[in-house]
Amino acid sequence: MKKVLSLILVLLLALTACGTQEKEDTATPKENKSDESTNAAKDNESTRELTAEDEKYAELITAKDYETVVRETGSLKSESQKDFYFIASAFIKNNEIQTKTYDPNDPNAILTDHKVIKNYLNRVKFVPDNIKDQVDELRTAAEEKLAELEKEAE
């Protein structure tokens, strides 16, 4: 009787292990997105319709009231809120950089701050047309400064 139970237990474990491996193998292709599907998703995001909430946040960013945008979008409930949260956070970090005094013995501090701006802006999927110029200007300035700082660090 013990031998039968042991055999059943071993078979059950073997079948479970094989079944788990099969599930992992079939799940992998679904998780890997092709470049085409990623680009299609980005195209859809870049043409999304502005809601009243989007327009409100865009106006707040135009008025440079970034703290309000961060406070109201901090829950990150929707893609729109995430986008505006990251945009406003990038502008806040840029303002901090402008007013912050950096230790000359720590050149990585300013480099890290510019990387933070770049990372925030890279997470944004949609930028409304009325603030696109401001965001692009910030992105360009951060990338140029980052390249300059990285070159100096070498």
Side-chain angles (χ1 to χ4, degrees):
M1 183 69 170
K2 288 183 181 180
K3 289 181 181 180
V4 173
L5 288 175
S6 297
L7 181 63
I8 291 173
L9 183 61
V10 169
L11 288 173
L12 183 62
L13 288 173
L15 290 174
T16 304
C18 292
T20 305
Q21 180 64 33
E22 184 179 318
K23 287 181 184 177
E24 289 174 2
D25 291 343
T26 58
T28 304
K30 292 178 185 176
E31 292 172 3
N32 292 335
K33 291 184 177 181
S34 68
D35 289 338
E36 293 174 8
S37 65
T38 305
N39 289 339
K42 285 185 179 181
D43 289 343
N44 289 341
E45 286 293 322
S46 65
T47 59
R48 106 177 150 205
E49 297 237 358
L50 286 180
T51 64
E53 184 181 45
D54 292 342
E55 291 175 10
K56 173 186 162 187
Y57 296 141
E59 288 174 19
L60 287 170
I61 287 175
T62 302
K64 299 183 180 187
D65 191 1
Y66 311 122
E67 297 292 337
T68 302
V69 176
V70 168
R71 189 173 44 253
E72 291 183 10
T73 60
S75 64
L76 306 175
K77 289 181 182 176
S78 66
E79 285 299 315
S80 175
Q81 285 186 352
K82 289 177 188 176
D83 290 341
F84 283 104
Y85 177 83
F86 293 136
I87 291 169
S89 295
F91 278 107
I92 289 171
K93 183 52 94 173
N94 185 55
N95 289 344
E96 287 176 13
I97 290 172
Q98 304 301 323
T99 59
K100 187 175 180 180
T101 305
Y102 289 94
D103 181 8
N105 296 327
D106 185 16
N108 287 331
I110 192 166
L111 184 71
T112 301
D113 284 350
H114 280 88
K115 284 182 181 178
V116 168
I117 293 174
K118 184 179 174 187
N119 288 336
Y120 276 139
L121 294 177
N122 285 342
R123 291 180 179 181
V124 175
K125 296 178 183 167
F126 173 75
V127 179
D129 291 337
N130 55 341
I131 61 170
K132 192 167 189 62
D133 290 340
Q134 288 177 292
V135 173
D136 288 343
E137 186 178 310
L138 177 61
R139 182 187 315 268
T140 303
E143 288 174 351
E144 288 174 356
K145 186 67 174 178
L146 189 59
E148 176 186 325
L149 292 169
E150 287 175 340
K151 188 175 181 181
E152 287 176 9
E154 290 177 355

